[in-house]
Amino acid sequence: MKLARRAKILGLVLKTASRCNLNCTYCYVYNHADKTYRQQPPLMSDDTVDHVVRRVGDYCRHHRSRSFQFVFHGGEPLLAPPLFYQRLVGLVGRSLPAYTRVRYALQTNAVLLTDAWCQTLGELDIRLGISLDEAAAHDQYRVDHRGRGSYEAAVAGLRRAQQHPALRYYPGVLAVIDPLSNPRQFLEQLLRLEVRVLNLLLPDGTHHVPPPHLPPGTTQTPYADWLIGLFDAWFAMPAARRPRIRFFQEIISLILGFDTSAVALGRTDNLFLVIETDGCIEAEDSLKVCQHGITKEGMHVRLHSLDEALDAPLIARCAETPPRLPTACQRCPIGDVCGGGFIVHRYHPGSGFDNPSVYCRDLMKLITHIQNQLITSLPVSFVEKGYWQPVSFEQVLGVLAGQTYP
Ligand code: SF4
Protein backbone atom coordinates (compact mmCIF):
# COMPACT_ATOMS: atom_id res chain seq x y z
CA MET A 1 0.00 0.00 0.00
CA LYS A 2 1.28 3.46 -0.92
CA LEU A 3 1.80 5.89 1.94
CA ALA A 4 -0.19 9.12 1.78
CA ARG A 5 1.93 12.08 0.80
CA ARG A 6 1.36 15.70 -0.11
CA ALA A 7 0.22 16.11 -3.70
CA LYS A 8 2.58 17.62 -6.18
CA ILE A 9 1.11 20.53 -8.11
CA LEU A 10 1.81 19.75 -11.74
CA GLY A 11 0.41 23.00 -13.05
CA LEU A 12 -2.37 25.56 -13.13
CA VAL A 13 -5.49 25.83 -15.22
CA LEU A 14 -5.70 29.58 -15.79
CA LYS A 15 -9.16 30.84 -16.61
CA THR A 16 -7.98 33.70 -18.76
CA ALA A 17 -11.53 34.55 -19.95
CA SER A 18 -14.71 33.82 -18.02
CA ARG A 19 -17.06 34.27 -20.97
CA CYS A 20 -17.40 32.30 -24.19
CA ASN A 21 -18.32 32.97 -27.81
CA LEU A 22 -20.26 29.67 -27.71
CA ASN A 23 -22.96 28.40 -25.35
CA CYS A 24 -22.55 24.61 -25.43
CA THR A 25 -25.62 23.02 -23.89
CA TYR A 26 -23.59 20.68 -21.66
CA CYS A 27 -21.05 23.28 -20.45
CA TYR A 28 -20.40 23.04 -16.71
CA VAL A 29 -19.44 26.73 -16.50
CA TYR A 30 -22.74 28.19 -17.75
CA ASN A 31 -25.38 25.49 -18.04
CA HIS A 32 -25.20 23.46 -14.83
CA ALA A 33 -25.70 24.26 -11.13
CA ASP A 34 -22.95 26.85 -10.68
CA LYS A 35 -23.54 30.42 -11.86
CA THR A 36 -20.53 32.09 -10.22
CA TYR A 37 -19.14 33.05 -13.63
CA ARG A 38 -21.54 36.01 -13.46
CA GLN A 39 -19.41 37.56 -10.70
CA GLN A 40 -16.12 36.95 -12.51
CA PRO A 41 -14.33 39.68 -14.45
CA PRO A 42 -14.58 38.78 -18.16
CA LEU A 43 -10.77 38.68 -18.50
CA MET A 44 -7.87 38.03 -16.12
CA SER A 45 -6.09 41.31 -15.30
CA ASP A 46 -2.34 41.94 -15.58
CA ASP A 47 -2.26 42.46 -11.81
CA THR A 48 -3.71 38.98 -11.23
CA VAL A 49 -1.21 37.51 -13.69
CA ASP A 50 1.63 39.15 -11.74
CA HIS A 51 0.41 37.50 -8.50
CA VAL A 52 -0.05 34.12 -10.21
CA VAL A 53 3.46 34.13 -11.66
CA ARG A 54 4.96 35.19 -8.32
CA ARG A 55 3.16 32.34 -6.54
CA VAL A 56 4.28 29.82 -9.15
CA GLY A 57 7.88 31.06 -8.88
CA ASP A 58 7.74 30.65 -5.08
CA TYR A 59 6.29 27.15 -5.43
CA CYS A 60 8.86 26.01 -7.99
CA ARG A 61 11.78 27.35 -5.94
CA HIS A 62 10.47 25.85 -2.70
CA HIS A 63 9.91 22.41 -4.23
CA ARG A 64 12.73 22.63 -6.78
CA SER A 65 10.15 21.73 -9.44
CA ARG A 66 11.70 20.44 -12.63
CA SER A 67 8.55 21.16 -14.64
CA PHE A 68 5.39 23.21 -14.42
CA GLN A 69 2.46 23.58 -16.80
CA PHE A 70 0.09 26.42 -17.54
CA VAL A 71 -3.15 25.42 -19.22
CA PHE A 72 -5.08 28.40 -20.61
CA HIS A 73 -8.78 27.79 -20.35
CA GLY A 74 -12.11 29.63 -20.26
CA GLY A 75 -14.82 30.36 -21.17
CA GLU A 76 -12.93 30.78 -24.40
CA PRO A 77 -9.28 31.71 -23.84
CA LEU A 78 -8.97 33.31 -27.29
CA LEU A 79 -11.23 36.12 -26.02
CA ALA A 80 -8.15 37.44 -24.18
CA PRO A 81 -5.92 39.38 -26.60
CA PRO A 82 -2.59 38.05 -27.96
CA LEU A 83 -0.77 40.70 -25.92
CA PHE A 84 -2.06 39.05 -22.71
CA TYR A 85 -0.29 35.77 -23.56
CA GLN A 86 2.85 37.51 -24.81
CA ARG A 87 3.14 39.42 -21.54
CA LEU A 88 2.42 36.35 -19.40
CA VAL A 89 4.94 34.10 -21.15
CA GLY A 90 7.58 36.85 -20.98
CA LEU A 91 6.97 37.30 -17.25
CA VAL A 92 7.16 33.57 -16.58
CA GLY A 93 10.45 33.41 -18.50
CA ARG A 94 11.92 36.12 -16.24
CA SER A 95 10.45 34.87 -12.96
CA LEU A 96 10.69 31.08 -12.74
CA PRO A 97 13.94 29.33 -11.86
CA ALA A 98 16.04 28.21 -14.82
CA TYR A 99 15.76 24.54 -13.78
CA THR A 100 11.94 24.56 -14.13
CA ARG A 101 10.83 23.49 -17.60
CA VAL A 102 7.62 25.34 -18.39
CA ARG A 103 5.01 24.01 -20.76
CA TYR A 104 1.96 25.84 -22.06
CA ALA A 105 -1.29 24.53 -23.50
CA LEU A 106 -4.51 26.26 -24.53
CA GLN A 107 -7.90 24.59 -24.85
CA THR A 108 -10.13 26.29 -27.43
CA ASN A 109 -13.33 25.75 -29.38
CA ALA A 110 -11.24 26.95 -32.39
CA VAL A 111 -13.97 29.17 -33.80
CA LEU A 112 -11.84 32.30 -33.32
CA LEU A 113 -8.58 30.64 -34.34
CA THR A 114 -7.09 32.76 -37.12
CA ASP A 115 -3.69 32.49 -38.83
CA ALA A 116 -2.54 35.45 -36.73
CA TRP A 117 -3.46 33.53 -33.57
CA CYS A 118 -1.61 30.44 -34.80
CA GLN A 119 1.45 32.60 -35.43
CA THR A 120 1.31 34.09 -31.92
CA LEU A 121 0.66 30.77 -30.18
CA GLY A 122 3.43 29.12 -32.17
CA GLU A 123 5.92 31.85 -31.28
CA LEU A 124 5.04 31.43 -27.60
CA ASP A 125 5.34 27.63 -27.84
CA ILE A 126 1.76 27.15 -26.64
CA ARG A 127 0.28 23.78 -27.59
CA LEU A 128 -3.30 23.66 -28.77
CA GLY A 129 -6.15 21.43 -27.69
CA ILE A 130 -9.32 21.74 -29.77
CA SER A 131 -12.80 20.70 -28.62
CA LEU A 132 -14.48 18.71 -31.38
CA ASP A 133 -17.28 16.17 -30.98
CA GLU A 134 -18.83 13.74 -33.44
CA ALA A 135 -20.09 15.96 -36.30
CA ALA A 136 -23.88 15.81 -35.74
CA ALA A 137 -23.53 15.89 -31.94
CA HIS A 138 -21.16 18.83 -32.24
CA ASP A 139 -23.71 20.87 -34.17
CA GLN A 140 -26.45 19.84 -31.77
CA TYR A 141 -24.65 20.67 -28.51
CA ARG A 142 -21.77 23.02 -29.32
CA VAL A 143 -23.91 25.98 -30.37
CA ASP A 144 -23.42 29.74 -30.36
CA HIS A 145 -25.60 32.17 -28.44
CA ARG A 146 -28.20 32.06 -31.21
CA GLY A 147 -28.36 28.27 -31.16
CA ARG A 148 -26.36 27.70 -34.36
CA GLY A 149 -23.98 24.74 -34.59
CA SER A 150 -20.24 25.34 -34.75
CA TYR A 151 -18.82 22.17 -36.34
CA GLU A 152 -17.76 23.74 -39.63
CA ALA A 153 -16.01 26.65 -37.89
CA ALA A 154 -14.26 24.28 -35.45
CA VAL A 155 -13.02 22.06 -38.29
CA ALA A 156 -11.73 25.13 -40.14
CA GLY A 157 -9.82 26.10 -36.98
CA LEU A 158 -8.45 22.58 -36.59
CA ARG A 159 -7.26 22.55 -40.22
CA ARG A 160 -5.61 25.93 -39.77
CA ALA A 161 -3.78 24.75 -36.67
CA GLN A 162 -2.67 21.52 -38.37
CA GLN A 163 -1.23 23.40 -41.33
CA HIS A 164 0.26 26.51 -39.77
CA PRO A 165 4.07 26.44 -39.94
CA ALA A 166 4.52 28.36 -36.67
CA LEU A 167 2.83 25.63 -34.59
CA ARG A 168 5.43 23.00 -33.76
CA TYR A 169 2.97 20.60 -32.18
CA TYR A 170 0.05 18.99 -33.94
CA PRO A 171 -3.16 19.99 -32.10
CA GLY A 172 -4.86 17.44 -29.88
CA VAL A 173 -8.63 16.96 -29.93
CA LEU A 174 -10.96 16.66 -26.95
CA ALA A 175 -14.40 15.15 -27.56
CA VAL A 176 -17.42 14.71 -25.31
CA ILE A 177 -19.09 11.34 -25.88
CA ASP A 178 -22.58 11.21 -27.34
CA PRO A 179 -23.76 7.61 -26.95
CA LEU A 180 -26.46 8.16 -29.59
CA SER A 181 -23.81 8.73 -32.25
CA ASN A 182 -22.10 5.98 -34.21
CA PRO A 183 -18.62 5.28 -32.78
CA ARG A 184 -17.28 3.81 -36.04
CA GLN A 185 -18.38 6.88 -37.97
CA PHE A 186 -16.72 8.99 -35.30
CA LEU A 187 -13.45 7.09 -35.81
CA GLU A 188 -13.75 7.63 -39.58
CA GLN A 189 -14.27 11.34 -38.91
CA LEU A 190 -11.07 11.44 -36.84
CA LEU A 191 -9.11 9.70 -39.58
CA ARG A 192 -10.54 11.98 -42.27
CA LEU A 193 -9.52 15.02 -40.22
CA GLU A 194 -6.06 13.53 -39.59
CA VAL A 195 -6.46 13.72 -35.82
CA ARG A 196 -3.42 12.12 -34.19
CA VAL A 197 -4.18 12.59 -30.50
CA LEU A 198 -7.65 12.37 -28.99
CA ASN A 199 -9.02 12.40 -25.50
CA LEU A 200 -12.59 11.54 -24.59
CA LEU A 201 -14.80 12.97 -21.89
CA LEU A 202 -17.84 11.37 -20.35
CA PRO A 203 -20.55 14.04 -20.05
CA ASP A 204 -20.72 15.73 -16.65
CA GLY A 205 -23.16 14.22 -14.23
CA THR A 206 -23.59 13.22 -10.60
CA HIS A 207 -25.82 10.88 -8.60
CA HIS A 208 -28.39 13.64 -8.14
CA VAL A 209 -28.14 15.13 -11.65
CA PRO A 210 -27.42 12.06 -13.77
CA PRO A 211 -25.71 12.28 -17.15
CA PRO A 212 -27.83 12.22 -20.32
CA HIS A 213 -29.28 8.79 -21.22
CA LEU A 214 -28.46 7.36 -17.81
CA PRO A 215 -31.60 7.68 -15.66
CA PRO A 216 -31.34 6.62 -11.98
CA GLY A 217 -31.58 2.87 -11.46
CA THR A 218 -31.02 1.97 -15.10
CA THR A 219 -29.16 -1.24 -15.90
CA GLN A 220 -28.37 0.02 -19.39
CA THR A 221 -24.76 0.85 -20.28
CA PRO A 222 -24.98 3.23 -23.27
CA TYR A 223 -21.55 4.76 -22.71
CA ALA A 224 -19.77 1.42 -22.36
CA ASP A 225 -21.52 0.13 -25.47
CA TRP A 226 -20.41 3.20 -27.44
CA LEU A 227 -16.85 3.06 -26.08
CA ILE A 228 -16.55 -0.68 -26.76
CA GLY A 229 -17.66 -0.05 -30.35
CA LEU A 230 -14.96 2.60 -30.70
CA PHE A 231 -12.32 0.52 -28.90
CA ASP A 232 -12.87 -2.57 -31.04
CA ALA A 233 -12.66 -0.59 -34.29
CA TRP A 234 -9.57 1.27 -33.01
CA PHE A 235 -7.82 -1.81 -31.62
CA ALA A 236 -8.33 -3.70 -34.91
CA MET A 237 -6.56 -0.98 -36.90
CA PRO A 238 -2.91 -1.34 -37.90
CA ALA A 239 -0.92 0.30 -35.07
CA ALA A 240 0.71 2.79 -37.46
CA ARG A 241 -2.68 4.23 -38.49
CA ARG A 242 -4.23 4.40 -35.05
CA PRO A 243 -4.67 7.86 -33.53
CA ARG A 244 -3.60 8.00 -29.91
CA ILE A 245 -6.76 7.79 -27.80
CA ARG A 246 -5.60 8.68 -24.30
CA PHE A 247 -8.70 7.36 -22.55
CA PHE A 248 -8.00 3.85 -23.89
CA GLN A 249 -4.24 4.09 -23.50
CA GLU A 250 -4.61 5.00 -19.83
CA ILE A 251 -6.91 2.03 -19.18
CA ILE A 252 -4.50 -0.32 -20.97
CA SER A 253 -1.54 1.03 -18.97
CA LEU A 254 -3.41 0.59 -15.69
CA ILE A 255 -4.47 -2.96 -16.61
CA LEU A 256 -0.83 -3.77 -17.39
CA GLY A 257 0.11 -2.51 -13.93
CA PHE A 258 1.78 0.78 -14.81
CA ASP A 259 1.41 3.59 -12.29
CA THR A 260 -0.43 5.77 -14.78
CA SER A 261 -2.21 8.96 -13.89
CA ALA A 262 -5.77 8.95 -15.25
CA VAL A 263 -7.93 11.76 -13.94
CA ALA A 264 -11.04 10.50 -15.74
CA LEU A 265 -10.72 7.27 -13.75
CA GLY A 266 -10.02 8.82 -10.37
CA ARG A 267 -6.40 7.72 -10.66
CA THR A 268 -4.17 10.75 -10.36
CA ASP A 269 -1.20 11.67 -8.19
CA ASN A 270 -0.67 14.93 -10.01
CA LEU A 271 -2.74 17.94 -9.34
CA PHE A 272 -3.77 20.96 -11.36
CA LEU A 273 -5.22 23.91 -9.44
CA VAL A 274 -7.63 26.29 -11.11
CA ILE A 275 -7.17 30.08 -10.99
CA GLU A 276 -10.30 32.02 -11.88
CA THR A 277 -10.13 35.35 -13.77
CA ASP A 278 -10.41 37.21 -10.43
CA GLY A 279 -7.46 35.29 -8.93
CA CYS A 280 -9.41 32.81 -6.77
CA ILE A 281 -7.63 29.47 -6.36
CA GLU A 282 -10.01 26.56 -6.76
CA ALA A 283 -10.22 22.79 -7.10
CA GLU A 284 -11.11 20.81 -10.22
CA ASP A 285 -13.22 23.04 -12.43
CA SER A 286 -15.97 20.65 -13.43
CA LEU A 287 -16.93 20.14 -9.76
CA LYS A 288 -19.16 23.10 -10.54
CA VAL A 289 -21.80 20.64 -11.74
CA CYS A 290 -22.18 19.39 -8.14
CA GLN A 291 -23.67 22.55 -6.63
CA HIS A 292 -23.57 26.32 -6.96
CA GLY A 293 -20.44 27.82 -5.39
CA ILE A 294 -18.90 24.48 -4.39
CA THR A 295 -15.41 25.44 -5.60
CA LYS A 296 -15.38 28.75 -3.69
CA GLU A 297 -13.18 28.18 -0.63
CA GLY A 298 -11.79 31.67 0.00
CA MET A 299 -8.36 30.99 -1.51
CA HIS A 300 -6.84 33.79 -3.57
CA VAL A 301 -3.46 34.36 -5.21
CA ARG A 302 -3.13 37.73 -3.51
CA LEU A 303 -3.54 36.18 -0.06
CA HIS A 304 -2.45 32.55 -0.30
CA SER A 305 0.44 30.54 -1.64
CA LEU A 306 -0.24 27.47 -3.77
CA ASP A 307 0.83 25.28 -0.83
CA GLU A 308 -1.62 27.03 1.49
CA ALA A 309 -4.41 26.46 -1.04
CA LEU A 310 -3.86 22.71 -0.68
CA ASP A 311 -5.35 22.96 2.83
CA ALA A 312 -8.78 24.11 1.60
CA PRO A 313 -11.13 21.14 2.16
CA LEU A 314 -12.29 20.51 -1.40
CA ILE A 315 -8.85 21.11 -2.89
CA ALA A 316 -7.41 18.76 -0.24
CA ARG A 317 -10.00 16.14 -1.21
CA CYS A 318 -8.95 16.37 -4.85
CA ALA A 319 -5.29 16.31 -3.82
CA GLU A 320 -5.44 13.11 -1.78
CA THR A 321 -2.40 11.09 -2.75
CA PRO A 322 -2.83 8.26 -3.41
CA PRO A 323 -6.52 8.87 -4.18
CA ARG A 324 -9.00 7.23 -1.81
CA LEU A 325 -11.14 4.45 -3.29
CA PRO A 326 -14.84 4.93 -2.39
CA THR A 327 -15.98 2.53 0.35
CA ALA A 328 -18.39 0.69 -1.95
CA CYS A 329 -15.57 0.11 -4.46
CA GLN A 330 -13.20 -1.62 -2.00
CA ARG A 331 -14.37 -5.11 -3.01
CA CYS A 332 -14.36 -4.38 -6.73
CA PRO A 333 -11.97 -6.67 -8.65
CA ILE A 334 -11.19 -3.87 -11.09
CA GLY A 335 -10.97 -1.08 -8.48
CA ASP A 336 -7.23 -0.68 -9.13
CA VAL A 337 -7.95 0.31 -12.72
CA CYS A 338 -11.22 2.17 -12.29
CA GLY A 339 -10.26 4.04 -9.12
CA GLY A 340 -13.97 4.62 -8.45
CA GLY A 341 -14.21 6.93 -11.45
CA PHE A 342 -13.76 10.68 -11.84
CA ILE A 343 -14.41 12.54 -8.58
CA VAL A 344 -17.23 14.67 -10.05
CA HIS A 345 -19.14 11.57 -11.13
CA ARG A 346 -19.14 10.25 -7.55
CA TYR A 347 -20.95 13.17 -6.00
CA HIS A 348 -24.23 13.05 -4.15
CA PRO A 349 -25.37 15.95 -1.90
CA GLY A 350 -26.10 13.46 0.92
CA SER A 351 -22.91 11.41 0.89
CA GLY A 352 -20.38 13.67 -0.82
CA PHE A 353 -17.77 11.85 -2.89
CA ASP A 354 -17.73 8.48 -1.12
CA ASN A 355 -19.73 6.74 -3.85
CA PRO A 356 -18.92 4.67 -6.89
CA SER A 357 -19.07 6.62 -10.12
CA VAL A 358 -22.50 7.32 -11.57
CA TYR A 359 -20.90 5.57 -14.59
CA CYS A 360 -20.03 2.47 -12.49
CA ARG A 361 -21.66 -0.14 -14.73
CA ASP A 362 -20.35 1.52 -17.87
CA LEU A 363 -16.78 1.65 -16.53
CA MET A 364 -17.02 -1.94 -15.32
CA LYS A 365 -18.24 -3.20 -18.70
CA LEU A 366 -15.64 -1.21 -20.63
CA ILE A 367 -12.65 -2.09 -18.43
CA THR A 368 -13.47 -5.81 -18.32
CA HIS A 369 -13.91 -5.79 -22.10
CA ILE A 370 -10.54 -4.09 -22.67
CA GLN A 371 -8.84 -6.43 -20.17
CA ASN A 372 -10.22 -9.52 -21.93
CA GLN A 373 -9.31 -8.16 -25.37
CA LEU A 374 -5.77 -7.50 -24.16
CA ILE A 375 -5.42 -10.98 -22.71
CA THR A 376 -6.43 -12.60 -25.99
CA SER A 377 -4.07 -10.40 -28.00
CA LEU A 378 -0.93 -10.73 -25.85
CA PRO A 379 1.47 -13.69 -26.17
CA VAL A 380 0.49 -16.51 -23.78
CA SER A 381 3.96 -16.49 -22.18
CA PHE A 382 3.57 -12.79 -21.40
CA VAL A 383 0.11 -13.22 -19.89
CA GLU A 384 1.29 -16.13 -17.75
CA LYS A 385 4.04 -13.99 -16.23
CA GLY A 386 1.53 -11.31 -15.26
CA TYR A 387 -1.37 -11.47 -12.89
CA TRP A 388 -4.05 -10.85 -15.49
CA GLN A 389 -6.93 -13.18 -15.84
CA PRO A 390 -10.13 -12.95 -17.81
CA VAL A 391 -12.93 -11.38 -15.82
CA SER A 392 -16.39 -10.73 -17.15
CA PHE A 393 -18.72 -7.82 -16.47
CA GLU A 394 -21.15 -10.28 -14.87
CA GLN A 395 -18.43 -11.67 -12.57
CA VAL A 396 -17.59 -8.19 -11.30
CA LEU A 397 -21.27 -7.47 -10.72
CA GLY A 398 -21.46 -10.78 -8.83
CA VAL A 399 -18.53 -9.90 -6.56
CA LEU A 400 -20.06 -6.57 -5.70
CA ALA A 401 -23.30 -8.37 -4.89
CA GLY A 402 -21.40 -10.57 -2.40
CA GLN A 403 -20.38 -13.55 -4.52
CA THR A 404 -16.88 -15.01 -4.32
CA TYR A 405 -14.38 -14.13 -7.01
CA PRO A 406 -12.82 -17.31 -8.48
S1 SF4 B 1 -16.37 -0.32 -11.50
FE1 SF4 B 1 -17.81 0.62 -10.05
S2 SF4 B 1 -17.47 -0.50 -8.11
FE2 SF4 B 1 -15.69 -0.90 -9.44
S3 SF4 B 1 -14.21 0.69 -8.83
FE3 SF4 B 1 -15.37 1.48 -10.61
S4 SF4 B 1 -17.01 2.67 -9.71
FE4 SF4 B 1 -16.21 1.36 -8.07
Side-chain angles (χ1 to χ4, degrees), residues 325 328-329 332 334-335 338-341 356-357 360-361 363-364 396 400:
L325 200 59
C329 300
C332 181
I334 57 162
C338 176
S357 168
C360 173
R361 290 176 79 97
L363 292 170
M364 196 184 289
V396 178
L400 292 170

Side-chain angles (χ1 to χ4, degrees), residues 272-396:
F272 278 81
L273 296 180
V274 176
I275 312 286
E276 287 282 2
T277 52
D278 66 353
C280 282
I281 311 172
E282 301 185 359
E284 164 61 46
D285 209 23
S286 52
L287 283 163
K288 287 176 173 150
V289 301
C290 299
Q291 66 182 65
H292 174 72
I294 192 170
T295 59
K296 302 290 172 201
E297 300 190 280
M299 292 289 156
H300 197 286
V301 283
R302 275 190 200 85
L303 305 172
H304 303 100
S305 69
L306 300 185
D307 272 316
E308 285 168 334
L310 291 179
D311 294 329
L314 188 58
I315 295 177
R317 181 70 179 79
C318 293
E320 276 175 0
T321 307
R324 198 188 326 162
L325 200 59
T327 310
C329 300
Q330 310 270 337
R331 285 173 56 85
C332 181
I334 57 162
D336 273 357
V337 177
C338 176
F342 184 39
I343 188 164
V344 174
H345 302 156
R346 297 183 212 160
Y347 183 76
H348 187 281
S351 45
F353 299 99
D354 189 24
N355 306 296
S357 168
V358 71
Y359 286 105
C360 173
R361 290 176 79 97
D362 290 87
L363 292 170
M364 196 184 289
K365 192 169 181 181
L366 174 68
I367 292 167
T368 52
H369 178 82
I370 293 179
Q371 178 154 327
N372 296 336
Q373 291 296 101
L374 271 184
I375 288 171
T376 52
S377 68
L378 290 169
V380 175
S381 57
F382 187 72
V383 174
E384 281 172 357
K385 278 193 205 129
Y387 50 85
W388 311 290
Q389 53 179 312
V391 55
S392 71
F393 174 49
E394 291 74 18
Q395 277 174 315
V396 178

